[in-house]
Amino acid sequence: MHRYLVVANRTLAGSHLFEQLSELTRHDRCSFHVVVPAEPPRNRAWTESEARSIAAARLEQALARFAALDADVDGEVGDADPTLPPGPSRWLRLDLPHRLEGKTGLRVIHVIGHPEPAAAGSG
């Protein structure tokens, strides 16, 4: 069985990610662990509890969607800012996928998607 770590936030519900995970399951039995950063809303005041709640709801929706995959899927809410500077695409600006691959020796698949539409009241 191949095990994958999926770290996603605003692109979590996008078709690009789902298609990539589906493709991986076509080749072998897979297990996916989804981590959703507890990123706070950017356009208003927030509490840490609210940020974690938003991420937990996003995770729950993703796990329900990924249940359609022929794979074992679980997940958790992660830290809001794992020591990275603020701003859009900060992970890519720091070349996180490549750096992670170099440090771990594991294959990193970078899926480029589009942010999911914002739900009313989700910030």
Side-chain angles (χ1 to χ4, degrees), residues 74-92:
D74 65 4
E76 66 184 286
V77 172
D79 289 340
D81 187 2
T83 73
L84 300 176
S89 302
R90 63 184 179 251
W91 292 355
L92 299 181

Side-chain angles (χ1 to χ4, degrees), residues 37-91:
E39 183 179 32
R42 295 179 182 192
N43 58 353
R44 60 185 169 78
W46 53 273
T47 65
E48 184 176 334
S49 175
E50 180 185 17
R52 293 192 69 74
S53 178
I54 292 169
R58 204 171 271 192
L59 174 62
E60 185 177 317
Q61 291 169 352
L63 294 178
R65 184 168 183 234
F66 295 160
L69 297 169
D70 183 21
D72 296 331
V73 183
D74 65 4
E76 66 184 286
V77 172
D79 289 340
D81 187 2
T83 73
L84 300 176
S89 302
R90 63 184 179 251
W91 292 355

Side-chain angles (χ1 to χ4, degrees), residues 5-52:
L5 171 64
V6 177
V7 181
N9 189 12
R10 287 174 275 167
T11 59
L12 192 59
S15 62
H16 290 88
L17 179 58
F18 189 84
E19 290 168 7
Q20 179 67 54
L21 300 183
S22 294
E23 179 64 25
L24 292 170
T25 64
R26 286 188 190 101
H27 301 289
D28 204 351
R29 185 85 177 128
C30 295
S31 171
F32 299 108
H33 183 74
V34 181
V35 176
V36 180
E39 183 179 32
R42 295 179 182 192
N43 58 353
R44 60 185 169 78
W46 53 273
T47 65
E48 184 176 334
S49 175
E50 180 185 17
R52 293 192 69 74

